[in-house]
Amino acid sequence: MDMFVIRGGTPLTGTAVVSGSKNAALPIMAAALASSGKTTLKDVPDLVDVRTLCQLLTALGMRVERDAADNLQLEVTDTRPCVADYDLVRTMRASVCVLGPLLARRGRACISLPGGCNIGDRPIDLHLKGLAALGAEIRVERGYVIAEASELRGTRIYLGGPCGSTVTGTCNVMVAAALARGTTTIEAAACEPEVVDLGNYLNQMGAEISGLGTPFLEINGVEELTGTTHRIVPDRIEAATLMIAAAITSGNLRLENVERPHLTAVIEKLSEIGARVQPLGNRSLQVSTDGELRAADCIALPYPGIPTDMQAQLMSLLTCAPGMSVVTDKVFPDRFMHAAELARMGARIRREGPSAILSGVKRLSGAAVMASDLRASAALVLAGLAAEGETAVRRIYHLDRGYERLEAKLCRLGANIRRVADTPDNFPRTLRLDPAAAEANVSPGPKWLNQEGGLRQSRRSA
Ligand code: UD1
């Protein structure tokens, strides 16, 4: 297992090119299962989740290749397999995106239920409700969802749930409806740009979907989806993560390959916190800071709100903004594993239901921290970039799932990050606290975490 050793304190400067969106690429790659031609996808990021899905698609009878120009070529060569096994699905929940395409094209899908997840409950009841409404017979047996249909029929489907709509659920139902007989209307569809990208890809293949980007989709079923070439939208989460890297290090970054309208909520919030975000031409922007950061309240909501996938990174930024901030997640209300790790770095955070209340500190201090999920890992890397001294971020395999060589991008901007094997020898010396020396050293430190997760002086000097 690898870890990052980060020496914080360098303002990031320079230019970074944002990769294609992971969350758009995954459902689009899965949807290629429903087509009967060759698909060429451009700008598919080269990261672990994409490689995992390539493995699953290969097992499902697809030829998958990255060509010399870094495009992903996909073509169904065998339409018989229909089982997505637990070993792959448990490592990546987005594997569930093969459910709709398999059912639509092969009449049967057998997908392992993914099980628990570090960001909270992630049921797939809405996916199943939508597919059942289209006429699929669905049962759960031995940990697998088995969905069967000799024919899917268009109908009216409401996809709203207790926390809004469902992104991958909308993707599954949209692909199945694209090949159903008759017209389907989906109400409370997810409006995320990644869903729109999938809809555009399906339309390029001959589907008839209107209303993309709104909660009301109308889908006229067609007989067949043919192959096409499609460029994946830029990753708005990677772009926003890099924007926060600029703000948290008082840096000055130019980002290229950004779709600014997809970032409106994040740009507004960062401006409120004290970042200066300026458009540069069509698909670039410049981010710098405007003096001291300011506290702000953030609520993660379905699109066009602040994405839940940015909640952890915004929290890292706000730990260093003087004053009180409240960060609330309405999409995944339990997604706060990073808060305790940030507290290890000196952040003052108190959890209150679906919210975290932050009291900004002057400076975070480097520590050994544990990544718990993909976006939490990014938040800890950002905190490490801003912290005094060295930070060891462990279990970064979570980060590798969803960011394409993030540390290489950050190092090109001046960050000091080393990827090393997580062994005792590689553990930073500066983070090895000798208890005897710590007890003897009464003033001015070392510092100890108090019960609220804030910093106070060592027990003797307090
Ligand atoms: C997708 C994204 C993920 C992002 C999330 C929310 C991909 C591959 N992943 O995940 O990065 O954090 O959207 O923007 O695109 N829910 C139900 N029943 C369901 C499905 C979901 O109640 O059948 C609930 C979930 O528990 C959650 C909310 O709906 O509270 C949104 O989940 P959903 O949009 O489905 O997330 P994913 O599609 O899994």
Side-chain angles (χ1 to χ4, degrees), residues 98-180:
V98 302
L99 178 58
L102 282 181
L103 183 69
R105 180 83 198 287
R106 304 185 188 178
R108 183 176 155 86
C110 184
I111 315 290
S112 170
L113 281 167
C117 173
N118 278 344
I119 68 173
D121 272 354
R122 294 183 79 176
I124 58 163
D125 56 308
L126 297 170
H127 302 229
L128 304 186
K129 172 184 163 184
L131 297 174
L134 288 169
E137 279 189 21
I138 297 177
R139 59 186 196 281
V140 176
E141 256 175 36
R142 285 182 269 178
Y144 283 77
V145 171
I146 301 169
E148 290 171 307
S150 50
E151 181 188 77
L152 296 173
R153 291 175 307 278
T155 186
R156 177 190 160 273
I157 299 167
Y158 177 75
L159 277 187
C163 298
S165 190
T166 161
V167 173
T168 49
T170 303
C171 294
N172 260 327
V173 178
M174 188 159 76
V175 178
L179 286 173

Side-chain angles (χ1 to χ4, degrees), residues 292-443:
E292 206 174 51
L293 298 176
R294 295 184 284 271
D297 294 344
C298 296
I299 306 184
L301 289 166
Y303 190 81
I306 293 172
T308 172
D309 284 352
M310 285 309 299
Q311 180 257 103
Q313 301 91 313
L314 278 163
M315 190 185 292
S316 287
L317 180 63
L318 289 169
T319 60
C320 320
M324 298 288 282
S325 300
V326 181
V327 176
T328 304
D329 198 322
K330 299 251 185 184
V331 181
F332 290 112
D334 290 323
R335 189 177 202 173
F336 287 107
M337 301 277 277
H338 44 280
E341 299 302 310
L342 289 171
R344 287 179 54 77
M345 301 178 71
R348 299 177 67 95
I349 304 176
R350 186 161 52 87
R351 173 89 189 274
E352 280 283 346
S355 300
I357 299 167
L358 283 71
S359 170
V361 295
K362 264 210 157 57
R363 189 89 196 256
L364 296 171
S365 93
V369 289
M370 199 78 87
S372 56
D373 68 72
L374 167 56
R375 306 304 173 185
S377 328
L380 296 176
V381 170
L382 292 171
L385 291 174
E388 199 168 344
E390 285 187 302
T391 295
V393 184
R394 311 176 82 172
R395 297 200 184 158
I396 50 155
Y397 58 86
H398 289 293
L399 188 92
D400 293 335
R401 282 189 36 222
Y403 287 90
E404 190 179 34
R405 292 181 283 274
L406 184 66
E407 84 274 26
K409 271 188 195 178
L410 292 171
C411 285
R412 279 197 291 274
L413 302 169
N416 184 338
I417 305 179
R418 284 184 299 123
R419 178 188 285 263
V420 294
D422 190 341
T423 60
D425 282 350
N426 284 333
F427 200 71
R429 296 177 71 82
T430 52
L431 295 176
R432 293 180 204 170
L433 198 65
D434 171 356
E439 281 297 332
N441 184 4
V442 288
S443 182

Side-chain angles (χ1 to χ4, degrees), residues 170 174 183-193 195-200 203 207-220 303:
T170 303
M174 188 159 76
T183 300
T184 300
T185 52
I186 303 180
E187 291 178 30
C191 303
E192 270 67 6
V195 177
V196 175
D197 204 28
L198 170 65
N200 289 336
N203 282 343
E208 293 179 15
I209 304 170
S210 56
L212 289 166
T214 78
F216 301 99
L217 299 180
E218 188 170 285
I219 304 170
N220 293 320
Y303 190 81

Side-chain angles (χ1 to χ4, degrees), residues 49-63:
D49 272 7
V50 165
R51 283 178 235 139
T52 305
L53 186 59
C54 288
Q55 261 178 283
L56 176 59
L57 294 177
T58 306
L60 289 170
M62 199 180 245
R63 187 180 59 76

